[in-house]
Amino acid sequence: MAGISVAAAVIVIVLCAGGLAVLRAVSGFRDDAADAREDRRLRDGACLELEDRLNRLVPPGATATPQARAVAVRDENAATRIYVGRLDDQRVEDSWRELLDARTAFAEGLDAQVKSRTPAFFVAPAPRDGVSLTDQLARWSPAACAGPIRRLAAPDL
C-alpha cells in the first residue's frame, strides 16, 4: 500500500513538472513572437524615418548643375547613414554601405565633371550570385524600405 502511494505521488510530481515545462515553453514562444513583432515594428519605423528624411531633401535629378547634383547625392547619403548606423545585421549594413560608396563615387565624378567636362555616370554595385544589390537589400530590409532603396539606387535620375 505504501509503495502504491509513493508511486502515485511520484507520478503526480512528474506530471506537474511536465505541465510546468510545457507552460514555460509556450510562454517562451509567445515572448519570442512578441519580441519579433517589436523588432519588425522598430525596423519598419526606422525605414519610414529614412523615407521622411529623404523626402525633405532635393532629389539629385531635380538639380540643374553637376555641382548641385553632387551636393544632393551627398545629402541623401548623410540621411541614409543615420539609418545604416541603427542596423544590427552586419550583412545588411555592409550592403547599404556598398550602395552609399557607389553613390559617393558618383558624387566625386560629378565634381570632376565640372573641371574635366567628362560626364559622370552612376555605376551600381556588381551583382552577387546574379542578384543585384538593390534586389538583395529589398529582400533583406522591411517592405517600408522599398521606396528609399529604389530612390537611392538611381541617383542619376
Side-chain angles (χ1 to χ4, degrees):
M1 197 70 154
I4 294 175
S5 296
V6 170
V10 168
I11 290 173
V12 168
I13 291 171
V14 167
L15 288 175
C16 288
L20 287 174
V22 167
L23 286 175
R24 274 192 221 120
V26 168
S27 176
F29 288 133
R30 285 185 184 158
D31 290 344
D32 290 346
D35 290 345
R37 277 192 304 275
E38 180 65 14
D39 287 346
R40 213 172 308 119
R41 187 187 68 73
L42 291 173
R43 289 177 42 213
D44 285 348
C47 283
L48 293 173
E49 287 175 16
L50 169 61
E51 187 167 28
D52 185 49
R53 278 191 301 276
L54 291 173
N55 286 338
R56 293 180 188 168
L57 299 172
V58 174
T63 58
T65 66
Q67 299 97 329
R69 185 170 285 187
V71 168
V73 168
R74 287 188 180 100
D75 288 347
E76 286 184 341
N77 286 358
T80 304
R81 281 189 181 91
I82 296 168
Y83 171 75
V84 173
R86 294 179 181 170
L87 294 174
D88 292 331
D89 186 337
Q90 189 64 44
R91 173 187 62 170
V92 176
E93 189 175 329
D94 289 344
S95 295
W96 277 97
R97 283 206 171 97
E98 190 175 346
L99 178 59
L100 291 175
D101 289 346
R103 290 171 52 84
T104 299
F106 177 58
E108 290 169 357
L110 289 167
D111 288 336
Q113 177 177 332
V114 175
K115 298 172 190 165
S116 68
R117 303 276 184 216
T118 304
F121 296 98
F122 175 69
V123 179
R128 297 179 189 156
D129 300 325
V131 180
S132 74
L133 180 70
T134 55
D135 288 344
Q136 288 178 342
L137 280 175
R139 189 177 325 139
W140 297 335
S141 300
C145 278
I149 290 169
R150 281 192 307 274
R151 177 174 175 168
L152 295 168
D156 50 348
L157 297 180

